[in-house]
Amino acid sequence: MERAMSREDLGEDVLRELDKVSEVAAHLWERGWAERNGGNISVDLTAIADRLPTTPDAVTVTMKDLPREAGGRTLFVTGAGERLRDLRPPMRAGGIVRFDDAANGYRVLWSAGGPSGFRATSELPSHLRIHLDLSSRNGEHRAVVHCHPTDLLALSHHPRFGIDEELLTRTLWAMLPEVRVFVPSGIAIAPYALPGSSVLAELTVEGLRKADVVLWSKHGAVAMGGDVREAFDLIDVAEKGAAILLRCLSAGYDPVGLSDDQLRELERKFDL
Ligand code: 13P
Ligand code: ZN
């Protein structure tokens, strides 16, 4: 029987991505967007981890209704029920999984606590579908972050902003120039769906085809990026807009917002 892989066996490229995951997970915890086991992260490592061996004794976790294209894909994923604040090295809360060629399930290649006890996040259907959708469109994004950002989540309960993604996007763009510039495709709203469900996965993929951040109504937010830092930045900037909006509303006035002319000026300058 082969020995289980250690962290050093993962190689420099993979370790670099894992370090970024630890950094972002710490931000999510500090911001209060990852209470208890809230939030999850995945990184598609297929291009840089194809040589990682599947140990013969690795457990196979079967999954129903996996898309065929999942076969052979290798992902870093956070574990179901794990605390993101436990993603510091040695990273007990995360693991690397590979889907078998027939897409009947995945095998745990590596996790700091040993492969046998590790189970991927309950939101794996959404993470996986996003990665597959991207690679089918030759997308460059490789990392997906889901968390529970307080102010965006609060706005998802708002009777108008919570149901009208165009209104929400335009209003948050007008809160400060950064939102217009760094969340250029705006925010999509996915109506509430059961956490971990394939319905939620479908709505998320649809939302990310047109927007930078998908707000899961009454639940949280999802974004993708070239790495986890980029995905985090999108949520962070959108959340800043939400915080300013709510701060003004709770002080009892409607924010004036950037004017249409001011927004157009930004669009010209930044080629948006
Ligand atoms: P997991 O612990 O399964 O990742 O779930 C956390 C979460 O935020 C569900 O949406
Ligand atoms: Zn969640």
Side-chain angles (χ1 to χ4, degrees):
M1 192 183 289
E2 289 175 35
R3 73 178 171 88
M5 251 192 300
S6 73
R7 193 178 154 89
E8 288 63 44
D9 297 326
L10 298 177
E12 253 177 54
D13 290 346
V14 171
L15 287 176
R16 195 172 308 119
E17 298 307 311
L18 298 199
D19 284 347
K20 290 186 222 168
V21 168
S22 295
E23 177 195 308
V24 163
H27 296 329
L28 295 173
W29 165 246
E30 283 153 16
R31 295 294 169 97
W33 304 346
E35 70 291 340
R36 196 177 184 278
N37 63 309
N40 26 74
I41 296 175
S42 66
V43 184
D44 190 345
L45 300 174
T46 310
I48 57 174
D50 56 339
R51 280 173 307 144
L52 291 185
T54 310
T55 41
D57 56 334
V59 202
T60 299
V61 179
T62 48
M63 283 181 76
K64 275 199 231 135
D65 304 326
L66 278 178
R68 202 73 204 162
E69 318 84 76
R73 204 151 276 269
T74 304
L75 300 185
F76 166 84
V77 281
T78 52
E82 298 286 352
R83 294 168 173 81
L84 292 199
R85 62 183 191 259
D86 286 340
L87 278 171
R88 310 176 293 276
M91 217 184 232
R92 281 186 308 280
I96 297 178
V97 301
R98 181 174 294 149
F99 294 88
D100 60 19
D101 289 339
N104 290 322
Y106 62 80
R107 292 175 114 191
V108 182
L109 301 190
W110 172 84
S111 97
S116 54
F118 182 81
R119 290 291 173 276
T121 169
S122 60
E123 300 292 2
L124 186 59
S126 285
H127 286 262
L128 180 63
R129 289 287 313 277
I130 295 168
H131 290 299
L132 294 179
D133 189 58
L134 280 167
S135 65
S136 73
R137 293 185 287 126
N138 297 321
E140 284 171 12
H141 291 121
R142 286 226 321 257
V144 175
V145 171
H146 159 60
C147 60
H148 301 164
T150 314
D151 294 315
L152 280 169
L153 213 165
L155 279 180
S156 82
H157 290 273
H158 190 281
R160 282 183 304 120
F161 296 121
I163 54 168
D164 184 341
E165 57 193 20
E166 271 181 39
L167 174 70
L168 178 67
T169 294
R170 273 189 284 110
T171 308
L172 295 190
W173 277 346
M175 290 301 99
L176 69 162
E178 272 64 20
V179 186
R180 181 66 191 96
V181 175
F182 294 116
V183 190
S185 300
I187 295 135
I189 300 175
Y192 180 82
L194 186 70
S197 61
S198 50
V199 175
L200 184 58
E202 193 65 49
L203 292 166
T204 310
V205 166
E206 234 173 77
L208 285 176
R209 282 186 186 155
K210 59 182 179 193
D212 296 309
V213 175
V214 176
L215 180 55
W216 284 354
S217 186
K218 305 174 211 170
H219 178 165
V222 184
M224 64 197 181
D227 63 15
V228 275
R229 284 181 179 147
E230 285 181 18
F232 170 81
D233 284 342
L234 290 167
I235 296 177
D236 194 29
V237 176
E239 171 74 0
K240 180 76 177 197
I244 303 292
L245 174 60
L246 283 175
R247 182 81 67 105
C248 296
L249 294 176
S250 28
Y253 61 90
D254 287 337
V256 174
L258 294 168
S259 67
D260 287 348
D261 278 350
Q262 289 165 338
L263 286 168
R264 272 195 291 271
E265 186 183 33
L266 281 171
E267 286 157 15
R268 279 195 303 274
K269 179 166 161 72
F270 291 94
D271 215 7
L272 299 168

